[in-house]
Amino acid sequence: MPGGGGGAEEEEEEGAGAGAGASVGASAGASAGAGADAGAGARADADADADATADADAGAGAGADEAPGVGASPWAHAKPVTHAIGASASARRKSLDRTTRRPSMPWRGQPRPPRGRTRLGVISVSHLSRRYGGQPRPAVDDVSFTIGPGEVVGFLGPNGAGKTTTLRILAGFLAPSSGTVTVAGHDVAEDSLEARRNVGYMAETSPLYGEMRVVEFLRFRAELKGVARRERASWIDDAMGKAGVLDVAHKRIAHLSKGYRQRVGLADAVLARPPVVLLDEPTAGLDPNQIREARRLVRELGRDHTVVLSTHILGEVEACATRVLLMHQGKLVAEGPTETLRGMRTATAVDLVVRGDEAAALKALGAVTGVTKAARAGGGDGVVRLRATFGKKLGDAERAAATEACVAALVAAGAGVREVRPAGGSLEDVFAALTREETPEPHE
């Protein structure tokens, strides 16, 4: 090796006992084994390498003190470089990680949680509030709820109730002003990356690249979401099949109708197979057949995902959801299974479709015990629909008896009764009753 003889000369001249380790090659970081025996070319193991390197550095430092400029190197004490030259290839790669290698993407730099544990997500919201600057009251005001694994939850409320703001916080798009939100066990504020990795979010107006074809856009999104290359093609096909966009896979997004663009956004939301799927007005712009398909898809997603569906259309919730969260003016005013919410408003009246003299029929209904009001509610084609309203203090059995008495009274009055059905007690009645309240005083 070069520098072997030079090491001997410096031993004679300076009288140092560093041997070959004080050579220029040693000061540049050559291994001690190679410096001691240039002809053999053998390498010492890592432990001997490190010890000899330290000795060589000490010898080089002593030589520099005694005779500055003679055999001295400005890199004499560059230990990281010395280790990199004498170490194995894998060790050299590790030493270069911090300097020369391009850093990996953030989602690839952290271990993924085991799929089996997070396939079904759980959402927990505690005292969540969100304020926008200049607004007299918060958009979301002290909201708390929990959504269990595999539930399909309908987020119901009028426009401006705070549904979209809540979904954006769950998706990591907005930060809460106060309160805590966890998705699949990850706090959206403290562990935002992992929380967002477990969420598929479809906004009311999906942000799409019009110049890209559908399959190109989904490939791009799959790469951004960290879908493994070997799984990418099959997952894209699966997402397009679920959303019903296989027939337009090679069309440019700008050339698609609004309904198809919504479906592309839906494909994007389920593409990475997240445990939690958030859908904000997913059927906006769809035709009746597409709406039916979208509702079927939402029900199917509930088998493998926790689904939160935001809408102000009552039929959406009744067709898809197993549970309802009802918001009004930023507050959660009711929650529970769909049937439980319907039970909050029991039927307080009965509609009767009759044929015959309308005046006589109304007089007969008004005379029934328990009926507080009888009025015409509609009619046509030779029949009239009358509504008999019961007193609020009547129990279920008393209302049933009053209904029978109404039918008997109409028959006695010579009217033909064609149909009897309860009025009230629907989800629509609950929605109307809970969202017609007066606007609260602004918060100071």
Side-chain angles (χ1 to χ4, degrees):
M1 288 181 60
E9 292 175 5
E10 290 193 13
E11 274 189 324
E12 296 174 1
E13 182 179 346
E14 299 179 30
S23 67
V24 176
S27 68
S31 66
D37 190 0
R43 283 195 184 185
D45 56 74
D47 293 335
D49 229 354
D51 294 338
T53 302
D55 293 339
D57 287 339
D65 289 339
E66 293 180 24
V70 181
S73 168
W75 307 105
H77 299 285
K79 292 185 179 180
V81 176
T82 303
H83 285 296
I85 294 174
S88 64
S90 61
R92 287 197 300 270
R93 282 196 299 270
K94 290 179 181 178
S95 70
L96 291 173
D97 277 348
R98 297 185 300 272
T99 56
T100 60
R101 296 182 69 192
R102 185 175 65 180
S104 60
M105 300 305 288
W107 55 80
R108 293 172 185 163
Q110 299 183 13
R112 280 186 178 273
R115 290 190 182 276
R117 297 182 185 177
T118 59
R119 184 165 180 78
L120 292 177
V122 177
I123 299 172
S124 178
V125 176
S126 178
H127 301 290
L128 173 65
S129 294
R130 169 69 192 194
R131 286 183 173 274
Y132 293 105
Q135 297 297 320
R137 60 179 177 83
V140 179
D141 189 4
D142 195 25
V143 170
S144 299
F145 60 86
T146 300
I147 299 176
E151 284 192 281
V152 178
V153 176
F155 226 154
L156 191 60
N159 293 328
K163 306 184 301 298
T164 296
T165 298
T166 304
L167 285 190
R168 287 176 177 172
I169 293 173
L170 293 177
F173 278 62
L174 289 175
S177 299
S178 62
T180 58
V181 178
T182 60
V183 177
H186 303 283
D187 191 288
V188 298
E190 298 180 358
D191 196 7
S192 178
L193 184 62
E194 281 298 328
R196 284 180 284 143
R197 182 180 291 161
N198 285 277
V199 171
Y201 176 53
M202 175 187 169
E204 183 176 359
T205 302
S206 299
L208 307 173
Y209 293 103
E211 67 276 9
M212 299 179 77
R213 291 177 171 82
V214 172
V215 68
E216 291 173 342
F217 172 74
L218 293 176
R219 284 188 197 128
F220 168 68
R221 293 291 292 161
E223 184 175 358
L224 287 182
K225 294 182 179 189
V227 177
R229 187 182 296 273
R230 65 181 178 276
E231 298 171 332
R232 210 168 283 168
S234 62
W235 285 24
I236 289 172
D237 288 343
D238 181 60
M240 288 194 297
K242 285 181 177 179
V245 293
L246 281 171
D247 55 332
V248 295
H250 298 284
K251 287 188 176 181
R252 295 189 186 276
I253 295 175
H255 299 163
L256 299 179
S257 66
K258 182 179 179 181
Y260 267 108
R261 287 198 295 271
Q262 285 289 94
R263 293 159 82 173
V264 173
L266 186 57
D268 175 41
V270 302
L271 174 59
R273 301 182 180 178
V276 177
V277 178
L278 309 176
L279 306 176
D280 192 2
E281 305 283 355
T283 60
L286 303 186
D287 62 43
N289 290 331
Q290 291 172 339
I291 289 174
R292 190 176 293 110
E293 280 297 308
R295 290 174 178 173
R296 180 192 58 78
L297 172 58
V298 170
R299 288 191 294 268
E300 288 183 357
L301 289 177
R303 300 174 186 173
D304 301 315
H305 308 265
T306 296
V307 181
V308 180
L309 171 74
S310 169
T311 183
H312 59 271
I313 303 174
L314 298 173
E316 288 286 297
V317 174
E318 292 184 301
C320 304
T322 58
R323 186 162 156 242
V324 177
L325 300 175
L326 181 56
M327 291 191 70
H328 179 52
Q329 295 177 344
K331 292 182 176 292
L332 187 65
V333 295
E335 66 170 311
T338 309
E339 292 301 325
T340 302
L341 255 65
R342 282 199 193 100
M344 293 174 64
R345 294 284 291 181
T346 56
T348 57
V350 62
D351 285 349
L352 303 105
V353 179
V354 301
R355 174 182 51 81
D357 187 352
E358 179 179 341
L362 286 173
K363 183 178 180 181
L365 287 177
V368 174
T369 302
V371 174
T372 58
K373 181 182 178 182
R376 188 179 192 274
D381 296 331
V383 296
V384 62
R385 182 162 59 92
L386 306 179
R387 174 167 296 180
T389 303
F390 303 129
K392 293 182 179 180
K393 295 183 180 181
L394 292 183
D396 292 340
E398 294 170 318
R399 281 194 298 270
T403 300
E404 293 177 1
C406 288
V407 174
L410 289 172
V411 172
V417 180
R418 294 193 174 184
E419 183 180 339
V420 180
R421 67 172 63 182
S426 67
L427 192 58
E428 183 177 355
D429 293 319
V430 176
F431 181 89
L434 294 176
T435 60
R436 272 193 311 216
E437 300 173 1
E438 294 183 2
T439 303
E441 292 295 325
H443 293 263
E444 295 182 359

